[in-house]
Amino acid sequence: ESKIEGNKLYAKWVEYIPTLAEVIAMANDEETNARGVVTYINNKNAYIQDASAGMLLFCKAAPTFKVGDLVVVKGTRTVYGGAPELKDVVEVRAEASTMPKAVPLASLAAATADPLKYFGQLVAFNGLKITALDNYKNPSLTDGVDTVVCYKMSVDETKLPVGTVVNVTAIAGYFNGFPLVGDPAGIC
């Protein structure tokens, strides 16, 4: 963008912020800014998503931004549990925004075949059956062929007992395998 005053043209410098796909492609230990909509927060961890990808942030302190905010953060690109992420993240700025739409997936195989393809993104599945609940009431879900475990999605087993068929919207996580991450509100 530029500005004209009288007969002089002045340039306006705008900082380039890479897409999340570009951040993912960076080398380890590279410091960078990143931008995305916050889709989930758990203590010092947060997921963000843009049109190109999703990413997990390990923040230095509990974030002040909220789910649904468009944030710009600064951190160091790393790999943890097999997934590219940002560590030592600090907030640069945040503003209210709208949540991205979940990517509808027809089967768990679509996610488990290439789990990093959807990493950090909101995904949606219809017709998954609760097969078990762990000690924290997090469900394991199946589509009849594949099974996925859920993290931070503890459910009320009196309302959603084992055997219940549910629709799920959650974050496609990754830590040496494919879990779904989110809160119980994503299971209906």
Side-chain angles (χ1 to χ4, degrees), residues 158-184:
T158 60
K159 293 180 182 175
L160 295 170
V162 170
T164 304
V165 175
V166 295
N167 297 329
V168 179
T169 299
I171 306 295
Y174 190 87
F175 184 78
N176 300 321
F178 173 73
L180 290 173
V181 180
D183 61 49

PDB file of all heavy atoms in Angstrom, residues 158-184:
ATOM      1  N   THR A 158     -23.957 -41.282  31.629  1.00  0.00           N
ATOM      2  CA  THR A 158     -25.400 -41.532  31.774  1.00  0.00           C
ATOM      3  C   THR A 158     -26.147 -40.974  30.569  1.00  0.00           C
ATOM      4  O   THR A 158     -27.190 -41.491  30.195  1.00  0.00           O
ATOM      5  CB  THR A 158     -25.963 -40.917  33.079  1.00  0.00           C
ATOM      6  OG1 THR A 158     -25.757 -39.504  33.059  1.00  0.00           O
ATOM      7  CG2 THR A 158     -25.285 -41.525  34.297  1.00  0.00           C
ATOM      8  N   LYS A 159     -25.620 -39.918  29.945  1.00  0.00           N
ATOM      9  CA  LYS A 159     -26.246 -39.328  28.749  1.00  0.00           C
ATOM     10  C   LYS A 159     -25.708 -39.957  27.464  1.00  0.00           C
ATOM     11  O   LYS A 159     -26.422 -40.037  26.463  1.00  0.00           O
ATOM     12  CB  LYS A 159     -26.015 -37.820  28.713  1.00  0.00           C
ATOM     13  CG  LYS A 159     -26.737 -37.083  29.825  1.00  0.00           C
ATOM     14  CD  LYS A 159     -26.471 -35.600  29.751  1.00  0.00           C
ATOM     15  CE  LYS A 159     -27.168 -34.890  30.895  1.00  0.00           C
ATOM     16  NZ  LYS A 159     -26.856 -33.472  30.937  1.00  0.00           N
ATOM     17  N   LEU A 160     -24.435 -40.358  27.479  1.00  0.00           N
ATOM     18  CA  LEU A 160     -23.794 -40.938  26.301  1.00  0.00           C
ATOM     19  C   LEU A 160     -23.083 -42.233  26.697  1.00  0.00           C
ATOM     20  O   LEU A 160     -21.849 -42.291  26.736  1.00  0.00           O
ATOM     21  CB  LEU A 160     -22.804 -39.946  25.678  1.00  0.00           C
ATOM     22  CG  LEU A 160     -23.391 -38.664  25.107  1.00  0.00           C
ATOM     23  CD1 LEU A 160     -22.298 -37.676  24.746  1.00  0.00           C
ATOM     24  CD2 LEU A 160     -24.262 -38.962  23.894  1.00  0.00           C
ATOM     25  N   PRO A 161     -23.842 -43.290  26.964  1.00  0.00           N
ATOM     26  CA  PRO A 161     -23.210 -44.548  27.369  1.00  0.00           C
ATOM     27  C   PRO A 161     -22.529 -45.249  26.192  1.00  0.00           C
ATOM     28  O   PRO A 161     -22.772 -44.920  25.019  1.00  0.00           O
ATOM     29  CB  PRO A 161     -24.385 -45.378  27.886  1.00  0.00           C
ATOM     30  CG  PRO A 161     -25.569 -44.842  27.157  1.00  0.00           C
ATOM     31  CD  PRO A 161     -25.294 -43.372  26.947  1.00  0.00           C
ATOM     32  N   VAL A 162     -21.665 -46.199  26.518  1.00  0.00           N
ATOM     33  CA  VAL A 162     -21.024 -47.029  25.501  1.00  0.00           C
ATOM     34  C   VAL A 162     -22.127 -47.627  24.623  1.00  0.00           C
ATOM     35  O   VAL A 162     -23.166 -48.066  25.111  1.00  0.00           O
ATOM     36  CB  VAL A 162     -20.174 -48.139  26.166  1.00  0.00           C
ATOM     37  CG1 VAL A 162     -19.704 -49.152  25.137  1.00  0.00           C
ATOM     38  CG2 VAL A 162     -18.983 -47.520  26.885  1.00  0.00           C
ATOM     39  N   GLY A 163     -21.916 -47.601  23.314  1.00  0.00           N
ATOM     40  CA  GLY A 163     -22.904 -48.094  22.354  1.00  0.00           C
ATOM     41  C   GLY A 163     -23.691 -46.983  21.673  1.00  0.00           C
ATOM     42  O   GLY A 163     -24.323 -47.207  20.647  1.00  0.00           O
ATOM     43  N   THR A 164     -23.630 -45.754  22.220  1.00  0.00           N
ATOM     44  CA  THR A 164     -24.340 -44.619  21.635  1.00  0.00           C
ATOM     45  C   THR A 164     -23.661 -44.185  20.344  1.00  0.00           C
ATOM     46  O   THR A 164     -22.432 -44.124  20.255  1.00  0.00           O
ATOM     47  CB  THR A 164     -24.379 -43.421  22.618  1.00  0.00           C
ATOM     48  OG1 THR A 164     -24.973 -43.848  23.837  1.00  0.00           O
ATOM     49  CG2 THR A 164     -25.156 -42.254  22.042  1.00  0.00           C
ATOM     50  N   VAL A 165     -24.457 -43.867  19.317  1.00  0.00           N
ATOM     51  CA  VAL A 165     -23.942 -43.344  18.051  1.00  0.00           C
ATOM     52  C   VAL A 165     -24.018 -41.825  18.112  1.00  0.00           C
ATOM     53  O   VAL A 165     -25.059 -41.263  18.476  1.00  0.00           O
ATOM     54  CB  VAL A 165     -24.739 -43.904  16.852  1.00  0.00           C
ATOM     55  CG1 VAL A 165     -24.275 -43.263  15.555  1.00  0.00           C
ATOM     56  CG2 VAL A 165     -24.588 -45.422  16.795  1.00  0.00           C
ATOM     57  N   VAL A 166     -22.905 -41.171  17.775  1.00  0.00           N
ATOM     58  CA  VAL A 166     -22.793 -39.720  17.907  1.00  0.00           C
ATOM     59  C   VAL A 166     -22.214 -39.090  16.648  1.00  0.00           C
ATOM     60  O   VAL A 166     -21.568 -39.764  15.849  1.00  0.00           O
ATOM     61  CB  VAL A 166     -21.909 -39.344  19.124  1.00  0.00           C
ATOM     62  CG1 VAL A 166     -22.551 -39.780  20.434  1.00  0.00           C
ATOM     63  CG2 VAL A 166     -20.514 -39.933  18.991  1.00  0.00           C
ATOM     64  N   ASN A 167     -22.450 -37.803  16.509  1.00  0.00           N
ATOM     65  CA  ASN A 167     -21.767 -36.982  15.522  1.00  0.00           C
ATOM     66  C   ASN A 167     -20.714 -36.192  16.289  1.00  0.00           C
ATOM     67  O   ASN A 167     -20.975 -35.733  17.404  1.00  0.00           O
ATOM     68  CB  ASN A 167     -22.735 -36.037  14.817  1.00  0.00           C
ATOM     69  CG  ASN A 167     -23.789 -36.799  14.045  1.00  0.00           C
ATOM     70  OD1 ASN A 167     -23.542 -37.892  13.555  1.00  0.00           O
ATOM     71  ND2 ASN A 167     -24.980 -36.235  13.945  1.00  0.00           N
ATOM     72  N   VAL A 168     -19.537 -36.024  15.713  1.00  0.00           N
ATOM     73  CA  VAL A 168     -18.417 -35.417  16.428  1.00  0.00           C
ATOM     74  C   VAL A 168     -17.771 -34.325  15.592  1.00  0.00           C
ATOM     75  O   VAL A 168     -17.487 -34.522  14.412  1.00  0.00           O
ATOM     76  CB  VAL A 168     -17.352 -36.483  16.773  1.00  0.00           C
ATOM     77  CG1 VAL A 168     -16.166 -35.851  17.486  1.00  0.00           C
ATOM     78  CG2 VAL A 168     -17.944 -37.599  17.605  1.00  0.00           C
ATOM     79  N   THR A 169     -17.541 -33.183  16.236  1.00  0.00           N
ATOM     80  CA  THR A 169     -16.712 -32.125  15.667  1.00  0.00           C
ATOM     81  C   THR A 169     -15.592 -31.883  16.666  1.00  0.00           C
ATOM     82  O   THR A 169     -15.852 -31.604  17.842  1.00  0.00           O
ATOM     83  CB  THR A 169     -17.514 -30.835  15.444  1.00  0.00           C
ATOM     84  OG1 THR A 169     -18.568 -31.111  14.524  1.00  0.00           O
ATOM     85  CG2 THR A 169     -16.629 -29.726  14.883  1.00  0.00           C
ATOM     86  N   ALA A 170     -14.353 -32.012  16.221  1.00  0.00           N
ATOM     87  CA  ALA A 170     -13.202 -31.898  17.113  1.00  0.00           C
ATOM     88  C   ALA A 170     -11.966 -31.519  16.299  1.00  0.00           C
ATOM     89  O   ALA A 170     -12.021 -31.426  15.073  1.00  0.00           O
ATOM     90  CB  ALA A 170     -12.975 -33.226  17.843  1.00  0.00           C
ATOM     91  N   ILE A 171     -10.867 -31.348  17.002  1.00  0.00           N
ATOM     92  CA  ILE A 171      -9.584 -31.060  16.363  1.00  0.00           C
ATOM     93  C   ILE A 171      -8.911 -32.387  16.017  1.00  0.00           C
ATOM     94  O   ILE A 171      -8.891 -33.310  16.830  1.00  0.00           O
ATOM     95  CB  ILE A 171      -8.660 -30.278  17.323  1.00  0.00           C
ATOM     96  CG1 ILE A 171      -9.338 -29.014  17.850  1.00  0.00           C
ATOM     97  CG2 ILE A 171      -7.320 -29.968  16.669  1.00  0.00           C
ATOM     98  CD1 ILE A 171      -9.638 -27.979  16.820  1.00  0.00           C
ATOM     99  N   ALA A 172      -8.352 -32.467  14.834  1.00  0.00           N
ATOM    100  CA  ALA A 172      -7.539 -33.631  14.460  1.00  0.00           C
ATOM    101  C   ALA A 172      -6.178 -33.445  15.117  1.00  0.00           C
ATOM    102  O   ALA A 172      -5.392 -32.587  14.729  1.00  0.00           O
ATOM    103  CB  ALA A 172      -7.397 -33.726  12.946  1.00  0.00           C
ATOM    104  N   GLY A 173      -5.939 -34.209  16.156  1.00  0.00           N
ATOM    105  CA  GLY A 173      -4.680 -34.116  16.873  1.00  0.00           C
ATOM    106  C   GLY A 173      -3.654 -35.064  16.289  1.00  0.00           C
ATOM    107  O   GLY A 173      -3.919 -35.796  15.341  1.00  0.00           O
ATOM    108  N   TYR A 174      -2.470 -35.033  16.866  1.00  0.00           N
ATOM    109  CA  TYR A 174      -1.447 -36.003  16.492  1.00  0.00           C
ATOM    110  C   TYR A 174      -0.393 -36.038  17.576  1.00  0.00           C
ATOM    111  O   TYR A 174       0.168 -35.011  17.946  1.00  0.00           O
ATOM    112  CB  TYR A 174      -0.770 -35.659  15.156  1.00  0.00           C
ATOM    113  CG  TYR A 174       0.106 -36.790  14.681  1.00  0.00           C
ATOM    114  CD1 TYR A 174      -0.431 -37.815  13.924  1.00  0.00           C
ATOM    115  CD2 TYR A 174       1.447 -36.857  15.032  1.00  0.00           C
ATOM    116  CE1 TYR A 174       0.355 -38.886  13.522  1.00  0.00           C
ATOM    117  CE2 TYR A 174       2.232 -37.916  14.628  1.00  0.00           C
ATOM    118  CZ  TYR A 174       1.680 -38.932  13.871  1.00  0.00           C
ATOM    119  OH  TYR A 174       2.457 -39.989  13.483  1.00  0.00           O
ATOM    120  N   PHE A 175      -0.145 -37.206  18.101  1.00  0.00           N
ATOM    121  CA  PHE A 175       0.977 -37.467  18.989  1.00  0.00           C
ATOM    122  C   PHE A 175       1.305 -38.936  18.815  1.00  0.00           C
ATOM    123  O   PHE A 175       0.692 -39.801  19.425  1.00  0.00           O
ATOM    124  CB  PHE A 175       0.659 -37.152  20.458  1.00  0.00           C
ATOM    125  CG  PHE A 175       1.855 -37.335  21.344  1.00  0.00           C
ATOM    126  CD1 PHE A 175       2.850 -36.365  21.388  1.00  0.00           C
ATOM    127  CD2 PHE A 175       2.019 -38.477  22.087  1.00  0.00           C
ATOM    128  CE1 PHE A 175       3.976 -36.543  22.179  1.00  0.00           C
ATOM    129  CE2 PHE A 175       3.143 -38.666  22.881  1.00  0.00           C
ATOM    130  CZ  PHE A 175       4.120 -37.692  22.927  1.00  0.00           C
ATOM    131  N   ASN A 176       2.207 -39.218  17.895  1.00  0.00           N
ATOM    132  CA  ASN A 176       2.559 -40.599  17.554  1.00  0.00           C
ATOM    133  C   ASN A 176       1.320 -41.420  17.200  1.00  0.00           C
ATOM    134  O   ASN A 176       1.239 -42.605  17.487  1.00  0.00           O
ATOM    135  CB  ASN A 176       3.341 -41.257  18.693  1.00  0.00           C
ATOM    136  CG  ASN A 176       4.626 -40.511  18.981  1.00  0.00           C
ATOM    137  OD1 ASN A 176       5.303 -40.041  18.075  1.00  0.00           O
ATOM    138  ND2 ASN A 176       4.961 -40.377  20.243  1.00  0.00           N
ATOM    139  N   GLY A 177       0.353 -40.794  16.604  1.00  0.00           N
ATOM    140  CA  GLY A 177      -0.903 -41.426  16.224  1.00  0.00           C
ATOM    141  C   GLY A 177      -1.988 -40.369  16.125  1.00  0.00           C
ATOM    142  O   GLY A 177      -1.743 -39.190  16.364  1.00  0.00           O
ATOM    143  N   PHE A 178      -3.190 -40.791  15.783  1.00  0.00           N
ATOM    144  CA  PHE A 178      -4.286 -39.863  15.520  1.00  0.00           C
ATOM    145  C   PHE A 178      -5.347 -39.916  16.614  1.00  0.00           C
ATOM    146  O   PHE A 178      -6.096 -40.867  16.686  1.00  0.00           O
ATOM    147  CB  PHE A 178      -4.926 -40.199  14.167  1.00  0.00           C
ATOM    148  CG  PHE A 178      -6.176 -39.419  13.877  1.00  0.00           C
ATOM    149  CD1 PHE A 178      -6.101 -38.078  13.549  1.00  0.00           C
ATOM    150  CD2 PHE A 178      -7.422 -40.016  13.944  1.00  0.00           C
ATOM    151  CE1 PHE A 178      -7.261 -37.347  13.288  1.00  0.00           C
ATOM    152  CE2 PHE A 178      -8.580 -39.298  13.668  1.00  0.00           C
ATOM    153  CZ  PHE A 178      -8.484 -37.965  13.343  1.00  0.00           C
ATOM    154  N   PRO A 179      -5.412 -38.892  17.497  1.00  0.00           N
ATOM    155  CA  PRO A 179      -6.556 -38.774  18.397  1.00  0.00           C
ATOM    156  C   PRO A 179      -7.428 -37.591  17.956  1.00  0.00           C
ATOM    157  O   PRO A 179      -6.993 -36.752  17.168  1.00  0.00           O
ATOM    158  CB  PRO A 179      -5.904 -38.448  19.738  1.00  0.00           C
ATOM    159  CG  PRO A 179      -4.743 -37.574  19.342  1.00  0.00           C
ATOM    160  CD  PRO A 179      -4.274 -38.112  17.979  1.00  0.00           C
ATOM    161  N   LEU A 180      -8.626 -37.537  18.465  1.00  0.00           N
ATOM    162  CA  LEU A 180      -9.461 -36.343  18.320  1.00  0.00           C
ATOM    163  C   LEU A 180      -9.330 -35.562  19.629  1.00  0.00           C
ATOM    164  O   LEU A 180      -9.303 -36.141  20.711  1.00  0.00           O
ATOM    165  CB  LEU A 180     -10.923 -36.714  18.080  1.00  0.00           C
ATOM    166  CG  LEU A 180     -11.228 -37.333  16.718  1.00  0.00           C
ATOM    167  CD1 LEU A 180     -12.673 -37.811  16.657  1.00  0.00           C
ATOM    168  CD2 LEU A 180     -10.956 -36.333  15.607  1.00  0.00           C
ATOM    169  N   VAL A 181      -9.244 -34.239  19.522  1.00  0.00           N
ATOM    170  CA  VAL A 181      -9.055 -33.372  20.678  1.00  0.00           C
ATOM    171  C   VAL A 181     -10.189 -32.365  20.705  1.00  0.00           C
ATOM    172  O   VAL A 181     -10.560 -31.810  19.675  1.00  0.00           O
ATOM    173  CB  VAL A 181      -7.703 -32.629  20.597  1.00  0.00           C
ATOM    174  CG1 VAL A 181      -7.503 -31.727  21.791  1.00  0.00           C
ATOM    175  CG2 VAL A 181      -6.554 -33.604  20.433  1.00  0.00           C
ATOM    176  N   GLY A 182     -10.724 -32.102  21.873  1.00  0.00           N
ATOM    177  CA  GLY A 182     -11.754 -31.086  21.972  1.00  0.00           C
ATOM    178  C   GLY A 182     -12.454 -31.136  23.295  1.00  0.00           C
ATOM    179  O   GLY A 182     -11.943 -31.677  24.270  1.00  0.00           O
ATOM    180  N   ASP A 183     -13.639 -30.563  23.341  1.00  0.00           N
ATOM    181  CA  ASP A 183     -14.414 -30.638  24.560  1.00  0.00           C
ATOM    182  C   ASP A 183     -15.696 -31.412  24.280  1.00  0.00           C
ATOM    183  O   ASP A 183     -16.052 -31.653  23.137  1.00  0.00           O
ATOM    184  CB  ASP A 183     -14.689 -29.246  25.133  1.00  0.00           C
ATOM    185  CG  ASP A 183     -15.485 -28.367  24.204  1.00  0.00           C
ATOM    186  OD1 ASP A 183     -16.520 -28.831  23.685  1.00  0.00           O
ATOM    187  OD2 ASP A 183     -15.089 -27.209  23.994  1.00  0.00           O
ATOM    188  N   PRO A 184     -16.403 -31.824  25.333  1.00  0.00           N
ATOM    189  CA  PRO A 184     -17.596 -32.660  25.143  1.00  0.00           C
ATOM    190  C   PRO A 184     -18.677 -32.001  24.287  1.00  0.00           C
ATOM    191  O   PRO A 184     -19.507 -32.687  23.721  1.00  0.00           O
ATOM    192  CB  PRO A 184     -18.099 -32.914  26.559  1.00  0.00           C
ATOM    193  CG  PRO A 184     -16.991 -32.569  27.460  1.00  0.00           C
ATOM    194  CD  PRO A 184     -16.096 -31.624  26.730  1.00  0.00           C
TER     195      PRO A 184
END
